[in-house]
Amino acid sequence: MEAYKQEFIEFMIDCEVLKFGDFVTKSGRRTPFFVNTGFYRTGTQLRRLGEYYAKAIQNTFGMDFDVLFGPAYKGIPLTVATTMAISEFYNADIRYCSNRKEIKDHGDKGILLGSPVQDHDRVIIIEDVTTAGTSIEETLPIIRAQGDVNVLGLVVSVDRMERGKGTRSALKEIEEKYGLKTTAIVTMGEVVEHLYNRPYRGRIVIDDELKAAIDAYYGQYGAE
């Protein structure tokens, strides 16, 4: 596993973004792990998060694109932090864009903030975690309504590796339905690989009992 992935896993733990215990997801699934990106709360944390996203984008897509689009609301700081990291580490001046939840009818009017999306722009969408595709269903029409736009793909922070609406993972379903390339900074499989029976800051994060609970969860909800 690449060093930046290991660092990112530990970074999520330090920020209390990645937690283990007994949780219930929005879909009603009881899960032994939870990812809450709302716990990235400081400038330093956002700067580092942008660096990890930039690395994942470089590894999968390269830097031959024009716009990074982050759906409101969580996608807004992600686009800003990541385009700044791309500028610093890859010397690429990528434009950022997000949508508004409500259309603004005065001043800078319209549904978009940041850079306009124009004909022939190559766009990558950035989100926090793997979704069931609901956000993509809302986001793609907004982007494509701006003109003849080429949406290249989607990048998220964590692939939960569980079933979406069918038997495939949510990211795979998005790839197949919309023809987009998808990637994540890390997968939950990589998280388990890195943390299982390995001490971090003086404690074992994933012990045998927790590993068994994770395995049972994937036995029930894991993607093909």
Side-chain angles (χ1 to χ4, degrees):
M1 188 191 315
E2 296 95 323
Y4 83 92
K5 290 176 177 280
Q6 299 176 18
E7 292 173 7
F8 180 65
I9 292 166
E10 295 169 2
F11 172 64
M12 286 194 292
I13 293 173
D14 291 342
C15 295
E16 299 185 340
V17 166
L18 174 62
K19 297 182 178 182
F20 297 94
D22 186 15
F23 309 95
V24 178
T25 66
K26 287 183 179 180
S27 61
R29 298 174 179 175
R30 295 187 69 89
T31 174
F33 57 88
F34 193 72
V35 180
N36 184 358
T37 58
F39 274 81
Y40 295 120
R41 293 176 172 174
T42 72
T44 299
Q45 290 171 350
L46 284 175
R47 179 184 58 78
R48 288 189 62 189
L49 179 61
E51 293 172 10
Y52 292 123
Y53 267 110
K55 183 68 173 177
I57 290 171
Q58 166 65 19
N59 284 355
T60 299
F61 300 100
M63 290 296 153
D64 193 19
F65 68 103
D66 305 295
V67 179
L68 189 63
F69 189 96
Y73 288 103
K74 286 185 178 180
I76 296 173
L78 297 182
T79 60
V80 175
T82 304
T83 51
M84 291 175 68
I86 287 172
S87 174
E88 179 179 356
F89 292 99
Y90 299 103
N91 196 32
D93 202 18
I94 302 299
R95 289 146 44 209
Y96 75 90
C97 182
S98 296
N99 64 297
R100 294 183 171 96
K101 289 289 189 179
E102 302 82 20
I103 298 176
K104 190 177 178 184
D105 60 4
H106 62 280
D108 181 18
K109 297 181 180 180
I111 196 170
L112 301 182
L113 56 86
S115 171
V117 178
Q118 305 165 346
D119 280 347
H120 311 303
D121 275 344
R122 298 156 300 175
V123 180
I124 292 174
I125 300 170
I126 185 171
E127 291 197 8
D128 50 358
V129 295
T130 311
T131 67
T134 304
S135 178
I136 291 294
E137 290 175 357
E138 298 172 351
T139 302
L140 279 176
I142 294 171
I143 298 173
R144 288 173 173 163
Q146 309 309 310
D148 182 15
V149 178
N150 182 13
V151 182
L152 301 178
L154 166 70
V155 57
V156 300
S157 61
V158 180
D159 178 2
R160 287 180 60 97
M161 298 176 60
E162 60 189 76
R163 295 197 306 269
K165 296 177 180 179
T167 60
R168 307 294 298 277
S169 73
L171 284 184
K172 288 297 182 184
E173 289 179 350
I174 289 170
E175 286 187 348
E176 293 171 357
K177 183 174 181 178
Y178 300 105
L180 304 180
K181 182 184 290 187
T182 65
T183 194
I185 302 174
V186 294
T187 68
M188 276 306 300
E190 290 169 328
V191 170
V192 173
E193 175 189 339
H194 182 60
L195 295 176
Y196 178 47
N197 277 343
R198 180 177 298 173
Y200 179 64
R201 297 197 184 281
R203 68 186 181 96
I204 301 294
V205 179
I206 299 180
D207 57 16
D208 290 338
E209 182 179 357
L210 180 54
K211 176 65 161 54
I214 294 171
D215 289 344
Y217 181 79
Y218 279 117
Q220 185 172 6
Y221 298 114
E224 288 183 349

